[in-house]
């Protein structure tokens, strides 16, 4: 996707860039980082890097709307949404027992609101990906959330919600999810299990959470890998298998979960991929989409090391400078 100055797409990009962000993405729950390895300011740090180091004017970002209850009901049951009115449910999904004693309205405001904005960002990202050929939501990728339950810090199934909103306009779309977060995307696989319009490509560490053997049956292109896999083996697998999966799926859009919990210093992912390996991985996925002229939306997924934000920021910079030619 090279643009030149006579190109109308280039002119449009002078105004807006299909990267979606709001300050609401960061969890404002004070002290969360002390009881969970997650960097609660991760999303804002990536945004700041893109503004200050890459030089993207703040006005050029897209802002998401918060997903409405109606949006959430596209996928989730009423019973599940009601259960989130109890702090115990939120504590269980966040795997933080201490949250069960926090008043529910505080958790709704400080935690669930950010996930609703992230879900709104993924919804918007799908639309922008069709418009621009690519888009990046600086949050999202909650791939453990199922229709009637959450898990692994995932409350709402942002990708399935966005996908079913796309189906509202065109129900024959073929959708490919490339899930390269370290964890198995069991929520997405479970939600899409009977839908042959969705093609899931999932590379995950099979020795860690969630170990969902039922959901594993519904991954079309599944590649469980061992703990501590290194760059060469990991990248060779992607280089070999992604083009083939794209050929077989013929997707109209790729939704890419670019989890950085594959990083060697991530305590939850237990993989051994370097910063350079992650940047190369993201470039490889984007190049495959661009080469095949398939719109791509990237969402961030997991990433729990202190370096997660800067690695993602540098990787997006690399994509903008070397693949999209921004
Ligand atoms: Zn993960």
């Amino acid at each position: 996707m090279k643009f030149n100055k006579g190109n109308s797409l280039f002119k449009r990009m002078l105004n807006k860039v299909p990267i979606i962000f709001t300050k609401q993405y960061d969890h404002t729950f004070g002290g969360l980082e002390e009881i969970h390895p997650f960097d609660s300011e991760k999303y804002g740090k990536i945004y700041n890097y893109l503004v200050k180091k890459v030089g993207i004017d703040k006005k050029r970002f897209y802002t998401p709307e918060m997903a409405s209850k109606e949006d959430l009901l596209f996928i989730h049951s009423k019973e599940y949404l009601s259960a989130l009115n109890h702090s115990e449910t939120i504590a269980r999904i966040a795997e933080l027992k201490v949250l069960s004693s926090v008043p529910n309205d505080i958790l709704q405001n400080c935690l669930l609101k950010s996930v609703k904005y992230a879900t709104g960002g993924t919804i918007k990202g799908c639309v922008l990906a069709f418009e621009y050929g690519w888009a990046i939501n600086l949050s999202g990728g909650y791939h453990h959330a199922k229709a009637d339950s959450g898990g692994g810090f995932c409350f709402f199934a942002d990708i399935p919600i966005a996908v079913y909103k796309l189906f509202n306009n065109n129900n024959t779309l073929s959708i490919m999810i490339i899930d390269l977060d370290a964890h198995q995307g069991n929520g997405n696989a479970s939600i899409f299990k009977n839908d042959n319009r969705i093609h899931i490509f999932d590379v995950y560490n099979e020795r860690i959470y969630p170990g969902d053997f039922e959901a594993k049956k519904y991954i079309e292109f599944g590649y469980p890998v061992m703990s501590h896999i290194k760059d060469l083996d990991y990248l060779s697998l992607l280089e070999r298998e992604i083009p083939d999966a794209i050929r077989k799926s013929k997707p109209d859009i790729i939704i890419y979960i670019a989890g950085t919990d594959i990083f060697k210093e991530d305590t939850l992912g237990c993989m051994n991929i370097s910063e350079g390996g992650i940047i190369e991985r993201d470039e490889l996925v984007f190049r495959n989409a661009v080469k095949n002229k398939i719109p791509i939306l990237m969402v961030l997924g997991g990433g729990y090391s202190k370096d997660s934000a800067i690695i993602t920021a540098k990787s997006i910079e690399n994509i903008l400078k070397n693949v999209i030619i921004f």
Side-chain angles (χ1 to χ4, degrees):
M1 245 183 286
K2 289 200 177 194
F3 305 126
N4 57 54
K5 290 197 174 177
N7 187 321
S8 64
L9 198 50
F10 178 85
K11 285 179 192 159
R12 194 174 64 205
M13 287 196 55
L14 287 177
N15 298 320
K16 280 280 189 187
V17 55
I19 300 179
I20 305 141
F21 176 78
T22 167
K23 287 192 170 79
Q24 303 285 348
Y25 280 175
D26 285 328
H27 311 303
T28 52
F29 191 74
L32 187 64
E33 58 287 347
E34 283 162 33
I35 48 176
H36 189 274
F38 195 83
D39 176 358
S40 59
E41 293 172 350
K42 171 176 160 178
Y43 308 117
K45 285 179 186 168
I46 300 168
Y47 168 76
N48 284 335
Y49 183 97
L50 295 176
V51 171
K52 289 180 185 151
K53 297 270 172 66
V54 183
I56 305 175
D57 192 281
K58 288 179 180 178
K59 293 193 199 84
R60 301 184 61 201
F61 288 80
Y62 280 91
T63 312
E65 280 165 32
M66 191 164 82
S68 64
K69 188 166 183 191
E70 195 186 17
D71 292 334
L72 303 179
L73 284 168
F74 261 99
I75 296 296
H76 297 295
S77 63
K78 278 183 184 159
E79 293 72 23
Y80 171 56
L81 296 184
S82 301
L84 291 173
N85 292 327
H86 301 281
S87 298
E88 295 77 17
T89 310
I90 296 176
R92 188 181 46 73
I93 296 168
E95 294 168 4
L96 295 168
K97 260 193 178 164
V98 65
L99 297 186
S100 58
S101 53
V102 176
N104 190 262
D105 57 333
I106 294 180
L107 294 180
Q108 294 285 342
N109 241 326
C110 301
L111 204 53
L112 293 201
K113 198 160 89 175
S114 64
V115 189
K116 285 180 189 168
Y117 272 105
T119 301
T122 301
I123 292 169
K124 192 180 248 325
C126 281
V127 175
L128 293 178
F130 277 111
E131 196 180 325
Y132 287 84
W134 66 281
I136 299 172
N137 180 18
L138 295 184
S139 186
Y142 295 101
H143 61 168
H144 300 307
K146 296 184 178 180
D148 52 10
S149 62
F153 217 88
C154 297
F155 297 93
F156 304 122
D158 59 318
I159 293 174
I161 291 168
V163 163
Y164 279 102
K165 288 203 79 159
L166 284 179
F167 284 152
N168 250 3
N169 291 324
N170 180 353
N171 64 11
T172 62
L173 288 173
S174 168
I175 313 250
M176 184 176 188
I177 297 172
I178 298 184
D179 185 344
L180 301 185
D181 182 281
H183 298 89
Q184 177 200 354
N186 61 325
N188 289 343
S190 150
I191 290 168
F192 289 132
K193 66 182 172 188
N194 295 319
D195 196 331
N196 57 16
R197 295 169 295 184
I198 318 291
H199 309 275
I200 296 181
F201 181 101
D202 195 349
V203 181
Y204 58 94
N205 182 349
E206 62 177 339
R207 298 294 172 96
I208 58 171
Y209 179 89
D212 188 332
F213 295 103
E214 172 66 20
K216 207 171 156 181
K217 291 191 278 190
Y218 309 116
I219 305 172
E220 190 172 340
F221 305 97
Y223 303 92
V225 295
M226 301 294 282
S227 289
H228 311 302
I229 185 171
K230 291 188 175 168
D231 288 16
L232 187 62
D233 287 343
Y234 181 72
L235 292 169
S236 314
L237 167 71
L238 299 181
E239 215 163 329
R240 195 177 60 238
E241 302 297 341
I242 288 179
D244 193 45
I246 289 178
R247 232 180 346 261
K248 287 176 181 154
S249 309
K250 299 184 182 60
D252 296 303
I253 182 171
I254 291 171
I255 302 175
Y256 170 40
I257 306 176
T260 48
D261 48 5
I262 63 166
F263 183 50
K264 58 186 178 186
E265 283 172 32
D266 192 287
T267 50
L268 298 185
C270 302
M271 290 167 73
N272 201 6
I273 308 301
S274 69
E275 175 179 317
I278 293 174
I279 291 172
E280 212 176 306
R281 173 198 69 170
D282 295 347
E283 182 176 332
L284 188 152
V285 175
F286 263 76
R287 281 199 188 281
N288 270 286
V290 168
K291 193 172 85 186
N292 291 290
K293 299 187 173 59
I294 302 164
I296 178 168
L297 166 67
M298 170 172 155
V299 298
L300 302 194
Y304 310 95
S305 77
K306 62 175 172 32
D307 302 303
S308 176
I310 187 71
I311 295 173
T312 300
K314 285 183 185 170
S315 185
I316 292 173
E317 181 180 26
N318 176 60
I319 290 166
L320 296 178
K321 288 184 175 165
N322 295 315
V323 187
I324 306 293
I325 314 298
F326 168 73

